[in-house]
């Protein structure tokens, strides 16, 4: 046999302490996360705004001056690409410089006077112009303390580098894959400031759009981009987070300690005292209760614990009073149960219950049973010989249950038995008994009766039905069938009622089955009734055709149908088989 595992027991104080610790730890973690998020958000907002302002300021210095179209033409020019290739191979920007100097500037010129005093226009080379704007970016980088500032041309999601004062000239025309944060931006829209990590460095980047038009009138779009180095800011953030974590942890430990002390003093200890007092009170159960047994603990809390303490004291007083009452009620109930047991035995002894009832008679075989719904019931049956050739059969159902029905049943049975022995037909017997019962029936109880007198020589049974269930009869070579006889009024309702007899001729092997309404009205757990159709079907499929076998099979089928549902009515049956002389 597998031994049941004993679960560990933790007292309330331990559970409260664990809940407090878990709650404070969760609160500390949430506080740290919120603090870090708030700090990061504020820092980012500051740098976002600054990056966008700087990008906008540098772009204003570029707008209308930088020949974006010329730079785009440059990176697409085959001769420039060849010069760039030679510069990369020789690791010398001279080839690119020479290429740029060989090209005139588009916008860079100034009015001057020669040695003869004539006004002349002095033009600069493409290189001079390019280095002028490159120095402008370098100057802006130093002024705003930027990590980098550069000019990029964007087309169809591809970024082409046009200018970066921190890079060599071979950088011009190189292609960069956009970082994930910028991959979804459109070519002609500025890039909002954002913070991201690039090769282990944290940068805050923003850009502004600068537009130009090529010789074919097509608009070209470039971006002036600025990068702020946030490495120091990240270090400051980590420093702040570490110090915040230390502060929150210390604060959490202090709060946990205070909470544990207060919980123990104001919750755990009073509840433990209550538990010990209630346990001690319960252990005195075998010694009897008194008002002095009520616990008296030093608990003066003006809160729910105090209310609980007062309620426990009140409850214990009620328990003492209820126990005394319960003792009396139990004794009274035991007395009533004893009397009911005695009444059950008395009722059972009044019904013939020794079978075979007439072992020396071969003309018939009969069997009967009665199972009350309560300790005593209102159903009854009876059978007795009034002479050597006549057998009286009787089954009845009183309108109530319990002790009143049992008393009414016994008086009715005695009256019918006494009147039957004087002679007469079943209708005459029930008519006289009905007058006696109806004349003194203040409780207005009644009884249904089926009664028959069987002539054992002739096989003729004379019957009458006083509001009872129809009998079920089996004749030779035929099945059981309900015999719908004429029903009269119930006994005890009207003293002026008279009853009528009817006769049946029985042959050898014929069977009469009578019963009370507890059989067809037996109900299962689904509130379905047993019913007459099932009763007929069961009777016709019984293998043991003796009266005892029939009653046993019916009872077994009713139990199977009801599925142990509560029995609300008495179950009474009587069966007789006529065997002839």
């Amino acid at each position: 046999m597998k031994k049941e595992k004993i679960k560990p027991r933790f007292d309330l104080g331990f559970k409260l302490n664990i809940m407090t610790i878990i709650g404070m730890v969760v609160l500390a973690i949430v506080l740290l996360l919120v603090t870090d998020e708030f700090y990061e958000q504020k820092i980012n907002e500051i740098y976002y705004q600054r990056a966008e302002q700087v990008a906008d300021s540098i772009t204003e210095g570029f707008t209308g001056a930088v020949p974006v179209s010329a730079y785009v033409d440059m990176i697409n020019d085959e001769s420039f690409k060849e010069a760039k290739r030679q510069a990369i191979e020789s690791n010398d920007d001279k080839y690119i410089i020479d290429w740029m100097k060989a090209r005139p500037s588009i916008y860079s010129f100034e009015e001057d006077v020669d040695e003869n005093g004539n006004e002349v226009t002095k033009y600069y080379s493409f290189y001079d112009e390019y280095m002028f704007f490159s120095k402008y970016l370098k100057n802006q980088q130093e002024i705003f303390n930027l990590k980098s500032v550069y000019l990029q041309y964007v087309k169809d999601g591809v970024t082409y580098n046009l200018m970066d004062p921190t890079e060599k000239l071979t950088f011009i025309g190189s292609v960069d894959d956009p970082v994930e944060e910028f991959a979804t931006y459109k070519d002609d829209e500025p890039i909002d400031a954002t913070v991201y990590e690039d090769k282990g460095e944290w940068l805050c980047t923003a850009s502004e759009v600068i537009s130009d038009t090529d010789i074919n009138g097509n608009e070209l779009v470039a971006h002036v981009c600025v990068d702020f180095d946030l490495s120091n800011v990240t270090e400051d953030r980590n420093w702040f987070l570490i110090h915040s974590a230390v502060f929150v942890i210390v604060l959490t430990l202090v709060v946990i300690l205070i909470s544990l002390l207060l919980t123990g003093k104001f919750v755990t200890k009073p509840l433990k005292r209550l538990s010990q007092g209630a346990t001690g009170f319960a252990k005195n159960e075998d010694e009897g209760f008194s008002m002095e047994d009520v616990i008296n603990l030093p608990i003066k809390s003006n809160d729910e614990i105090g209310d609980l303490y007062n309620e426990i004291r009140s409850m214990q007083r009620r328990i003492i009073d209820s126990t005394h009452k319960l003792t009396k009620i139990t004794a009274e109930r035991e007395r009533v149960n004893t009397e009911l047991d005695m009444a059950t035995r008395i009722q059972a002894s009044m019904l013939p219950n020794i079978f075979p009832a007439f072992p020396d008679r071969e003309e018939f075989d009969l069997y009967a049973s009665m199972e009350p719904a309560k300790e005593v019931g209102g159903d009854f049956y009876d059978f007795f010989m009034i002479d050597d050739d006549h057998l009286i059969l009787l089954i009845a159902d009183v309108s109530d249950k319990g002790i009143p029905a049992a008393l009414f049943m016994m008086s009715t049975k005695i009256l019918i038995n006494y009147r039957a022995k004087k002679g007469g037909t079943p209708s005459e017997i029930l008519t006289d008994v009905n007058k006696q019962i109806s004349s003194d029936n203040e409780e207005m109880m009644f009884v249904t009766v089926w009664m028959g007198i069987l002539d054992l020589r002739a096989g003729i049974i004379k019957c009458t039905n006083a509001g009872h269930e129809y009998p079920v009869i089996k004749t030779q070579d035929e099945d059981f069938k309900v015999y719908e006889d004429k029903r009269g009024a119930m006994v005890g309702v009207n003293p002026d009622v008279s009853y009528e007899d009817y006769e049946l001729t029985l042959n050898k092997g014929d069977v009469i089955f009578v019963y009370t309404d507890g059989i067809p009205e037996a109900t299962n757990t689904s509130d379905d009734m047993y019913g007459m159709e099932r009763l007929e079907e069961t009777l016709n499929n019984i293998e043991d055709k003796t009266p005892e076998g029939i009653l046993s099979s019916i009872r077994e089928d009713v139990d199977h149908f009801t599925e142990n549902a509560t029995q609300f009515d008495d179950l009474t049956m009587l069966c007789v088989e006529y065997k002839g002389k």
Side-chain angles (χ1 to χ4, degrees):
M1 182 177 180
K2 187 176 179 181
K3 187 176 181 181
E4 184 178 356
K5 186 177 180 181
I6 300 176
K7 295 182 179 179
R9 183 180 184 274
F10 302 103
D11 60 20
L12 180 60
F14 177 81
K15 295 177 182 177
L16 289 175
N17 293 338
I18 292 297
M19 291 173 60
T20 301
I21 293 173
I22 293 175
M24 291 306 301
V25 169
V26 172
L27 181 62
I29 293 174
V30 172
L31 182 61
L32 286 174
L33 293 176
V34 171
T35 301
D36 179 61
E37 182 68 22
F38 178 77
Y39 183 85
E40 180 183 7
Q41 181 179 355
K42 289 300 180 182
I43 292 298
N44 289 346
E45 286 179 359
I46 294 173
Y47 276 90
Y48 286 167
Q49 184 178 8
R50 185 178 178 187
E52 291 173 355
Q53 289 175 348
V54 170
D56 183 64
S57 175
I58 295 174
T59 302
E60 287 181 0
F62 261 173
T63 302
V66 176
V68 175
S69 61
Y71 295 161
V72 173
D73 290 341
M74 175 180 62
I75 64 176
N76 292 323
D77 190 282
E78 293 298 328
S79 61
F80 173 79
K81 293 179 181 179
E82 177 62 24
K84 178 179 177 181
R85 184 187 64 78
Q86 294 176 347
I88 293 174
E89 289 179 353
S90 62
N91 195 24
D92 190 351
D93 288 344
K94 175 181 177 299
Y95 294 98
I96 297 178
I97 293 173
D98 291 344
W99 186 91
M100 286 182 165
K101 286 182 176 181
R103 297 173 69 88
S105 171
I106 297 178
Y107 301 114
S108 298
F109 62 89
E110 63 181 11
E111 300 294 334
D112 199 359
V113 179
D114 61 10
E115 57 186 12
N116 298 321
N118 298 319
E119 292 184 355
V120 296
T121 300
K122 183 179 180 180
Y123 290 93
Y124 294 91
S125 69
F126 189 82
Y127 174 76
D128 295 330
E129 177 190 84
Y130 185 87
M131 295 308 296
F132 174 80
F133 287 114
S134 180
K135 289 179 181 179
Y136 169 74
L137 290 183
K138 182 67 174 179
N139 183 48
Q140 296 298 310
Q141 180 180 0
E142 294 174 353
I143 292 174
F144 292 109
N145 193 25
L146 299 173
K147 173 73 175 177
S148 58
V149 56
Y150 44 91
L151 180 66
Q152 292 181 330
Y153 167 60
V154 182
K155 182 174 179 59
D156 298 331
V158 181
T159 302
Y160 301 90
N161 292 302
L162 301 180
M163 184 180 294
D164 189 336
T166 63
E167 297 285 349
K168 299 176 69 174
L169 292 179
T170 53
F171 179 74
I172 301 173
S174 60
V175 177
D176 286 342
D177 293 329
V179 296
E180 182 180 353
E181 286 76 9
F182 302 142
T184 59
Y185 286 104
K186 297 181 179 179
D187 299 347
D188 57 350
E189 294 182 359
I191 298 176
D192 296 331
T194 186
V195 174
Y196 66 97
E197 185 180 13
D198 182 29
K199 299 178 182 178
E201 295 183 336
W202 285 96
L203 301 176
C204 179
T205 297
S207 82
E208 283 293 334
V209 174
I210 181 170
S211 299
D212 194 10
T213 305
D214 61 12
I215 58 176
N216 297 319
N218 298 320
E219 184 180 12
L220 301 176
V221 178
H223 285 263
V224 177
C225 304
V226 298
D227 289 342
F228 280 95
D229 186 2
L230 297 186
S231 298
N232 293 332
V233 176
T234 303
E235 293 177 0
D236 293 341
R237 173 189 170 192
N238 294 336
W239 181 91
F240 173 78
L241 183 61
I242 292 173
H243 283 73
S244 298
V246 172
F247 173 76
V248 171
I249 290 173
V250 173
L251 179 63
T252 301
L253 292 176
V254 172
V255 174
I256 287 175
L257 180 60
I258 295 174
S259 177
L260 295 179
L261 293 175
L262 294 178
T263 301
K265 180 178 180 180
F266 295 107
V267 179
T268 306
K269 288 184 179 179
L271 288 177
K272 186 174 292 185
R273 289 173 181 173
L274 279 175
S275 176
Q276 292 172 348
T279 302
F281 176 82
K283 289 181 178 179
N284 290 330
E285 184 176 356
D286 295 336
E287 301 173 6
F289 297 115
S290 66
M291 292 303 296
E292 290 76 15
D293 293 325
V294 179
I295 61 174
N296 186 17
L297 300 175
I299 297 177
K300 300 180 180 180
S301 302
N302 189 22
D303 53 18
E304 287 80 358
I305 295 179
D307 296 339
L308 178 61
Y309 168 63
N310 294 327
E311 182 58 30
I312 288 178
R313 293 187 56 164
S314 176
M315 179 184 66
Q316 290 174 333
R317 289 187 176 94
R318 293 196 297 270
I319 289 175
I320 292 172
D321 295 339
S322 298
T323 303
H324 292 157
K325 294 178 181 178
L326 183 61
T327 302
K328 294 180 180 179
I329 292 173
T330 301
E332 180 66 19
R333 182 174 295 174
E334 290 178 353
R335 183 187 64 81
V336 172
N337 288 337
T338 301
E339 293 179 356
L340 284 176
D341 290 340
M342 184 178 296
T344 301
R345 292 193 297 271
I346 293 173
Q347 184 181 42
S349 65
M350 290 192 64
L351 301 180
N353 52 20
I354 298 176
F355 299 98
F358 305 96
D360 56 335
R361 302 304 296 257
E362 298 179 354
E363 301 96 324
F364 64 93
D365 184 17
L366 66 81
Y367 197 85
S369 67
M370 194 277 283
E371 183 176 343
K374 297 183 178 181
E375 288 82 358
V376 289
D379 288 3
F380 68 93
Y381 64 84
D382 200 0
F383 50 83
F384 52 91
M385 302 289 296
I386 55 176
D387 56 41
D388 289 341
D389 296 323
H390 293 87
L391 171 67
I392 288 187
L393 302 171
L394 177 68
I395 189 167
D397 184 0
V398 179
S399 59
D400 201 355
K401 303 291 180 290
I403 296 294
L407 294 175
F408 194 81
M409 177 272 286
M410 286 189 287
S411 62
T412 302
K413 180 178 178 298
I414 292 172
L415 289 174
I416 293 176
N417 187 285
Y418 177 76
R419 174 61 185 83
K421 291 180 179 180
K422 291 184 176 181
T425 66
S427 63
E428 293 171 345
I429 295 171
L430 291 186
T431 298
D432 291 344
V433 171
N434 176 63
K435 290 180 180 180
Q436 288 182 275
I437 294 176
S438 300
S439 62
D440 189 17
N441 187 11
E442 295 181 358
E443 299 299 326
M444 297 301 295
M445 298 180 69
F446 57 85
V447 57
T448 66
V449 181
W450 180 91
M451 183 178 181
I453 300 178
L454 175 59
D455 185 338
L456 299 177
R457 287 183 174 273
I460 297 174
I461 183 170
K462 188 172 292 187
C463 314
T464 190
N465 189 331
H468 198 73
E469 303 295 315
Y470 295 127
V472 184
I473 300 174
K474 178 185 179 304
T475 59
Q476 286 182 332
D477 302 325
E478 292 186 5
D479 292 338
F480 278 98
K481 292 183 180 179
V482 174
Y483 183 80
E484 296 184 3
D485 56 5
K486 183 178 180 180
R487 291 175 176 172
M490 295 167 286
V491 175
V493 175
N494 185 352
D496 298 327
V497 170
S498 59
Y499 299 94
E500 298 181 9
D501 294 319
Y502 65 90
E503 290 185 357
L504 297 173
T505 300
L506 302 180
N507 297 307
K508 183 177 181 179
D510 290 354
V511 179
I512 297 178
F513 174 81
V514 288
Y515 53 93
T516 58
D517 58 4
I519 300 296
E521 294 178 5
T523 307
N524 61 14
T525 54
S526 301
D527 290 334
D528 299 323
M529 288 198 301
Y530 188 76
M532 289 302 300
E533 291 184 6
R534 182 172 182 131
L535 176 60
E536 274 192 71
E537 182 180 356
T538 303
L539 285 169
N540 289 316
N541 287 281
I542 294 173
E543 294 183 0
D544 186 355
K545 301 298 184 178
T546 65
E548 182 178 1
I550 290 173
L551 266 59
S552 177
S553 297
I554 293 297
R555 178 61 197 183
E556 182 179 346
D557 192 60
V558 169
D559 289 340
H560 177 73
F561 173 81
T562 57
E563 300 175 342
N564 298 320
T566 303
Q567 180 181 328
F568 293 101
D569 203 353
D570 304 335
L571 302 178
T572 306
M573 297 176 283
L574 185 147
C575 183
V576 60
E577 177 186 4
Y578 180 68
K579 295 184 177 183
K581 288 293 289 185

